[in-house]
Amino acid sequence: MDLLWVLYSTLTVCMAINMEATGSHSLFTCEPITLRMCQGLSYNTTFMPNLLNHYDQQTAALAMEPFHPMVNLECSTEIRPFLCALYAPVCTEYGRVTLPCRRLCQHAKSDCYKLMDMFGVTWPDEMDCSRFPDCDESYPRAIDLLPSRDETEESPTSVQRDYGFWCPRELKIEPDLGYSFMGVRDCSPPCPNMYFRKDELIFARYFIGVVSIVCLSATLFTFLTFLIDVGRFRYPERPIIFYAVCYMMVSLVFFLGFLLEDRVSCNAASPGRFRASTITQGSHNKACTLLFMTLYFFTMAGSVWWVILTITWFLAAVPKWGSEAIEKKALLFHAVAWGIPGALTITLMAMNKIEGDSISGVCFVGLYDLMALRWFLLVPLALDVVVGVVLLLAGIAALNRVRMEIPLEKENQDKLVKFMIRIGVFSVLYLVPLLTVIGCYLYEQSHRSVWETTWVQERCREYHIPCPFKVEQTSRPDIALFLIKYLMMLVVGIPSVFWVGSKKTCFEWASFFNGHRRKDAVHESRQVLQEPDFTQLLLRDPNTPVVRKSRGTSTQGTSTHASSTHLAMLDEPPSASTSRAGSMRSKSSSFHGSLHRSRDGRYTACSYRGVEERTLRLDDPLQHCGVNRLNSHSRHGSLQRLESQSRHSSVRDLTITAQAIQSSPGNGIHRVVGEDATMA
C-alpha cells in the first residue's frame, strides 16, 4: 500500500506541476535547509530544484517573501508547513517526490484568504489545491522521514550537482511564440550578442556595412552591364548573371541590416515585466521574416546557380553542346535554381527556425540552433561545392585534352589557354570564400556548446540561475572569426566582376553614356549564323586554310558584311581568292559608275561621258538615240553577267554556311573564347 502511495504521488507531481527541473539534474543529493521560515520543522534537509522550479534556496526565499506577513501573523497553523512543503520539500530517497495533501492546502488558503487580500497577495496558480493528492495527512508523512541511504554517504557541505541550464526570468518569452534557447523552451538569447563587448559589436556592424556596399556595387555593375547588352552573355556563361543577381540581393539585405541595427533582429526590453532585450525568433516579426526569406533564399540560389554554371561549362566542353542546345534547357535550370531554395525557405519557416542576428542586424538560420545549422546550411553548401568542383574539373580536363591532342595554330592555342586560366581563376575566387564560410560554420558548431557553458558560468550569478557543474573547458569566440565569416559571405559575389571586366565592357559603357545604340537585332542574328563554329575550328584538317573571325564579345563575333565572302573563299587558294576579289571590285565599280541615281532613288541607264557627249546629245537627237541604244545593249550585257556572278557567289556562300552549320553540333565555348582576344 505504501508503494502504491509513493507511485501515485510521483505520478501526480509529474502531471500537475512542471517537473522539468527535477529531472534536469544528474546527481540527486540532500542539503540542509537554510530558509529561515522552514527551519525548526520535523525535517532539516531538502533538495533543489523544488516543486516550483526554484534551483536553489536563495531563489526560493525570494519567492516566499510575499507570504511572510501571513506566517508572522499566524493566520493559520497550516500555512507554514504547506509553504515549506512546496518551497523546501523534504529530502527523501533517490527519485522520490512527495506532495502535501489537498486538505492541507485548503485549510491554509481558507484561513489566510482575508489577510492575503488585505496585503494584496494573490494565491498563485502553481499552488492551486486541485493539483495536490486528495488526502488528509500532515506534512511530512511518517514514510517521508525514514532514514535515507544517501544521507550518510555524502557530507552536506559537499553538495554539488548539475542542474542544467535554467532560463533566467529576464529571458522568459510567452509560450505561444515557440522560442527556444539552449534546449529550454519559451526562452530566448539576450540581445545584444551574448559573446562580445559593445565596442566589438559596433566595429563589426560598420565592417559588415562597408563590405556590403562594396559587394552591392560590384554585383550591381555586373547586372547593369548585362542589361546594356543582353545578347552578349549567352549560355554557357549566362548563369554568371543570375549568380551576380543573387549575391546582389544578399548584399542588399546586409546593408539594410546595417541601417536597421538591432531594431528588427531583437525584441525590445520590458523593464516593468522584468524582461530584457532578447533575440527575435520565429515568424511573428514580419520584418525579420522578410529579411530571412530574402537572405536565405538568395544565398542558396547563388550557390545553385554556380553549380548550374559548372554544368553548362561541362556540357559545352565534354559533349560539345552549342549555345542554342544549352539554352533549350534554360527552363529546367531556372526551375532547379529557384525551386530548391524556395522549398528550403518554406521548410524553415514552417519549422519556426528563424533567428535574429544581433551582430549584422539581419535574420538568418543556424545562429543558435545547431540542427538547423547542420542540415540547412552545411549540408546544402557542401553538396554544391562537391558537385560543382567535379563538373568543373571534368570540363577543364576536356579542354586540356583538346589543347594537347588536337593540332592548333599558336593563336588558337593561346586563346584556349587563356580561357582555361580564366575559368580557373574565376572558380578559385568563388570556391575560396565559400570554403572559408563552410569552415567557419564547422568551427562554430563544434565550439558552440563550450561558448554557451562559458557564458552561463560568467552570468549565472547575475541572472540568479544555476552555475555549470564541473566545467572542464571554457572558451570565448573571437570576433575575428565572425568578421571573416561575414566577409566571405559577401565577397563570394565579387568574382562576377572579374568575368565581365574587359575592354569590351568599357566600350559598351562609353557608348551607353554617349547615347550610341548597338546594331539592330537582325544584323546580330545574321552575324551569329555566319560565324564559324569553334568545334569545327578545333577539329579541322591542319592543311585547310583558316577563316579568321573578327574578335568580338564573349557570346558572338563582330563580323562585317564581308563574312559571307570569306566563307565562300574557304576552299580556294590565296591567289584565286585575291584575283576573284579584285575582279568583283572592278566589276562593281564599273557597274556603279554606269548607273545614275534619280530623284526617286532608282538607278537609271544614263552615263556621264563628259561635256562632248552632252553637247552631242543636244545637237543630234538621232545620234543621241543611237548612242543610247548602243549603250543600253552593252550595259544590259554587262549587268546580266555581273548579276549572274553575284547570284552564283551568294548561292555558294549560303551552301558553304549551311554545310558548316550541319557538319558540327556547335559549341558554345567558342563564343566565350572570343572574349580573351578583346581582353588581351
Side-chain angles (χ1 to χ4, degrees), residues 625-643:
C625 294
V627 171
N628 284 341
R629 286 194 299 271
L630 181 60
N631 291 337
S632 176
H633 286 297
S634 61
R635 283 195 298 270
H636 180 69
S638 301
L639 285 172
Q640 286 182 343
R641 288 191 300 272
L642 185 58
E643 291 176 357

Side-chain angles (χ1 to χ4, degrees), residues 268-313:
S270 300
R273 302 175 60 188
F274 302 100
R275 298 286 174 82
S277 179
T278 56
I279 294 295
T280 302
Q281 295 184 28
S283 57
H284 68 95
N285 189 322
K286 306 304 179 185
C288 182
T289 303
L290 182 61
L291 290 179
F292 159 76
M293 290 173 58
T294 307
L295 180 58
Y296 182 79
F297 175 80
F298 283 104
T299 299
M300 293 294 104
S303 61
V304 175
W305 273 116
W306 183 78
V307 175
I308 293 176
L309 177 64
T310 59
I311 292 175
T312 57
W313 278 342

